[in-house]
């Protein structure tokens, strides 16, 4: 317990503070008077007295400090202190006499009584307003620390506590005790298990409806993020929820599950349609995408120039760029310039970038617009989902290109949910479309203004986005928008065989050729146990041959296992950047970081201009004792952009000698080493192998089980379950195509009712899953209907 003397550091974002206190009383062996206290605190006032719980730690530079896990403002204690508290300036209108009266009437726990009972002060007859002011003053004094203290008691660490308090503010305790499962929905980092532990302490157990709702929300979110589908099949959901609740399948549970679903549908959190359950947000995003595309289609007024002018312009561009477009390329350029929405897909080297260049040049010329970003009437926006892809686009067009997040002014945080961006361009071109997920595309396409032309470019055969959905594939497969599939390979890289290999994989051709050594690729057959040592040898050799490790990328499908990303990072780090006695090294969990280590950034922080997936190099390690912020720091160079990360942000990076194939999308590397083993069979798909192989520019070394490669080429089962296509058909009033004919326009029909169709969930999902002995879903429905 002690009085705060001076606060010398506060971080408003996570409530972290450092200050000194004059120790009044302690049960530690500290006897030196003042001590530095660190931790997460709400309002802390200098000169006030607090009681802290925690431990004394020995800081390498600053010596002993008290690391607080919880704290409480010391209450005025005893009659004398209480009287001077109530008669202080904090409570205008209460003098010494009234203060004495309060303590006489309510005793030494007057403060608690006032906080618990809003009528406790009625006897003073101060009038409603004055009484209310006093209560508010007392409670606001104590709210934050009470909440944080209680959250700590509930087992939440300082970071989560701060996040929860930031979300709910003064209502924190009321909110979480009323329904701890609401945290699953509201606070990032709190999952069902966590909320369930808290609920248990609060006496909420078994098949309490709040518990069932929490499990439903969590399982829908987990499922869509695991599968990439935009909904979860009702039957699977019921199975998973029953499992997580550790409940036995009874008719009573069935009824509660239905009640829980119904409640969440009513609250606008989930949505049920055709026996499938959606996060409402995700379903809304699909509808919103379809509607935005329709708006863009409807408001396009056609072009002001003639076909003749276009033909002439293309001839000129061919001369300027010294290229002769092939038939499909020419068609792609023409269609993109004459339609409101155009889709362009093709494998590596088929000329996507070449076409973007032509579109931009022709658009500017035909619309009499300067191709100068500084000009007032320049109205072209170029963007891609990753920083690397955006950079590539900028370099190849010579025009500004940025990440979609940057273009839309998004932060990459939860705040984006509320963003309503608007784009004032006339031509929007997006590259690497296969990586764009449902929620990002919804924000992007709804920002497009009427009359804008949109060109979406990508490779539909690559892995779909990390987040739910397969936007690009769905748009192409809907056949509602003009699309060009480029097939001719134009890249002439001497005797490069990698591109041909990629195209063969895409065609499903498993030929011996895949495993034969060529000038630019090779295959090394080995078991998963041998992968680490084979890789070490390849990397040492490539080092000797002058390959910069920045240009060598190991790509793997999974984190776990001998041939998994985590182990390979450890192994490669020790080959290329080993520890030596005098080197600096810092640790975070099991990972060690040294200067020159290659790292990948895992989140989006637009304020630092670093985005998820960017690869950088550690160029400095500043220990806490060496800087004024008193925290360990890593300085990382992300392609010329130096960023300093405090220790608490190291969770945002990982070693990047080996990264996941998913993360590598949108990037290319001089040399790719690709270990694939049968232990990863769950992940092995054609689009995974294709994506990995197409990342290699000059050299490709495949390592592992031959059968794992063959299995990948064979397995095409990559379609995600989504309903974007259906939303587009409904919105565009188009009947899905049955034959090869053009999409047919159908009579006006009402949009489908996509609200809760309880009969469908009941019939499709719940009945078969859990043994409802005497009661049938139909019984249920009748009962529900007659309520
Ligand atoms: N019609 C053409 N005639 C001659 N060369 C062409 C033609 N089209 C494209 N190229 C050349 O082929 C190479 C690959 O083209 P481009 O980079 O546009 O393909 P891409 O589809 O964007 O490939 P990636 O996705 O691998 O970047 C480039 O060197 C380009 O100049």
């Amino acid at each position: 317990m002690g009085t705060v003397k001076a606060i010398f550091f506060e971080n408003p974002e996570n409530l972290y503070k450092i200050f000194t206190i004059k120790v009044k009383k302690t049960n530690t062996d500290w006897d030196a008077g003042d001590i530095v206290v660190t931790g997460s605190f709400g309002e802390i006032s200098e000169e006030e007295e607090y009681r802290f719980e925690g431990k004394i730690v020995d800081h390498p530079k600053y010596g002993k400090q008290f690391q607080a896990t919880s704290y409480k403002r010391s209450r005025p204690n005893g009659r004398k202190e209480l009287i001077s508290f109530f008669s202080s300036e904090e409570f205008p209108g209460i003098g010494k006499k009234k203060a004495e009266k309060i303590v006489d009437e309510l005793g030494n726990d007057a403060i608690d009584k006032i906080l618990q009972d809003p009528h406790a002060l009625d006897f003073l007859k101060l009038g409603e307003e004055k009484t209310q002011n006093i209560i508010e003053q007392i409670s606001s004094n104590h709210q934050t620390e009470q909440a944080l203290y209680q959250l700590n008691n509930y087992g939440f660490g300082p970071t989560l506590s701060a996040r929860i308090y930031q979300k709910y503010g003064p209502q924190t305790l009321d909110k979480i005790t009323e329904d701890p499962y609401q945290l699953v929905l509201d606070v990032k980092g709190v999952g069902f298990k966590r909320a369930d532990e808290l609920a248990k302490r609060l006496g909420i157990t078994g098949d309490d409806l709040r518990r069932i709702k929490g499990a439903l929300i969590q399982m829908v979110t987990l499922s869509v993020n695991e599968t990439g589908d935009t909904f979860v099949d009702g039957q699977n959901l019921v199975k998973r929820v029953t499992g997580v609740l550790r409940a036995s399948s009874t008719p009573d549970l069935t009824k509660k599950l239905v009640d829980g679903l119904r409640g969440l549908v009513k609250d606008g959190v989930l949505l049920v349609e055709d026996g499938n359950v959606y996060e409402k947000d995700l379903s809304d995003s699909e509808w919103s995408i379809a509607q935005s595309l329709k708006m863009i289609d409807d408001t396009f007024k056609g072009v002001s120039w003639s076909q003749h002018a276009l033909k002439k312009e293309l001839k000129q561009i061919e001369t300027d760029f010294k290229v002769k477009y092939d038939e499909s390329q020419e068609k792609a350029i023409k269609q993109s310039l004459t339609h409101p929405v155009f889709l362009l897909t093709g494998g590596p080297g088929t000329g996507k970038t070449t076409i973007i260049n032509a579109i931009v040049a022709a658009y500017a010329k035909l619309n009499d617009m300067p191709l100068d970003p500084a000009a007032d009437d320049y109205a072209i926006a170029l963007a891609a989902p990753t920083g690397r892809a955006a950079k590539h686009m900028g370099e190849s067009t010579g025009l500004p290109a940025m990440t979609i997040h940057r273009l839309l002014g998004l932060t990459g945080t939860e705040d984006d949910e509320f963003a309503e961006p608007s784009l004032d361009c006339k031509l929007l071109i997006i590259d690497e479309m296969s990586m764009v997920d449902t929620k990002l595309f919804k924000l992007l396409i709804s920002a497009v203004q009427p009359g804008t032309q949109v060109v979406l470019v990508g490779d539909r055969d690559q892995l779909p986005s990390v987040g739910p959905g397969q936007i690009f594939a769905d748009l192409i497969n809907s056949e509602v928008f003009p699309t060009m599939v480029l097939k001719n390979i134009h890249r002439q890289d001497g005797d490069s065989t990698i591109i041909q290999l990629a195209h063969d994989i895409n065609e499903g051709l498993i030929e011996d050729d895949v495993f034969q050594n060529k000038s630019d690729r090779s295959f090394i057959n080995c078991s998963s146990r041998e992968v680490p040592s084979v890789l070490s040898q390849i990397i040492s050799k490539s080092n000797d041959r002058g390959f910069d490790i920045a240009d060598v990328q190991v790509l793997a499908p999974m984190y776990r296992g001998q041939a998994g990303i985590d182990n390979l990072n450890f192994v490669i780090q020790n080959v290329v950047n080993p520890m030596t006695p005098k080197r600096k090294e810092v640790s975070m969990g099991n990972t060690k970081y040294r200067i020159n280590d290659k790292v990948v950034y895992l989140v989006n922080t637009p304020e630092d201009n670093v985005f998820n997936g960017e690869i950088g190099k550690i160029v400095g390690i500043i220990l806490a004792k060496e800087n004024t912020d008193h925290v360990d720091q890593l300085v990382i160079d992300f392609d010329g952009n130096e960023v300093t990360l405090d220790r608490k942000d190291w969770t945002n990076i990982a070693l990047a000698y080996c990264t996941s194939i998913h993360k590598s999308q949108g990037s290319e590397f001089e040399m790719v080493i690709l270990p694939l083993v049968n232990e990863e069979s769950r992940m092995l798909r054609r689009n995974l192998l294709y994506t990995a192989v197409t990342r290699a520019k000059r050299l490709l070394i495949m390592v592992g089980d031959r059968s794992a490669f063959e299995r990948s080429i064979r397995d095409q089962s990559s379609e995600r379950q989504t309903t974007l296509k259906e939303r587009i058909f409904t919105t565009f009033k188009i009947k899905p195509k049955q034959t090869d004919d053009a999409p047919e326009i159908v009579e006006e029909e009402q949009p489908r009712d996509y609200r809760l169709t309880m009969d469908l969930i009941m019939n499709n999902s719940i009945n078969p899953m859990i043994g409802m002995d005497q009661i049938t879903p139909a019984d249920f429905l009748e009962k529900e209907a007659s309520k």
Side-chain angles (χ1 to χ4, degrees), residues 323-326 329 347-354 392 490-491 668:
V323 63
K324 171 93 189 81
Y325 300 116
D326 71 22
Q329 287 180 324
T350 50
K352 299 182 295 295
T353 310
T354 307
H392 174 71
H490 284 279
R491 188 170 283 151
E668 283 187 327

Side-chain angles (χ1 to χ4, degrees), residues 503-516:
H503 286 268
D504 288 350
I505 290 171
N506 213 14
E507 299 291 313
L509 301 174
I510 311 175
E511 312 227 342
D512 256 0
D513 177 72
V514 175
F515 304 101
Q516 277 164 10

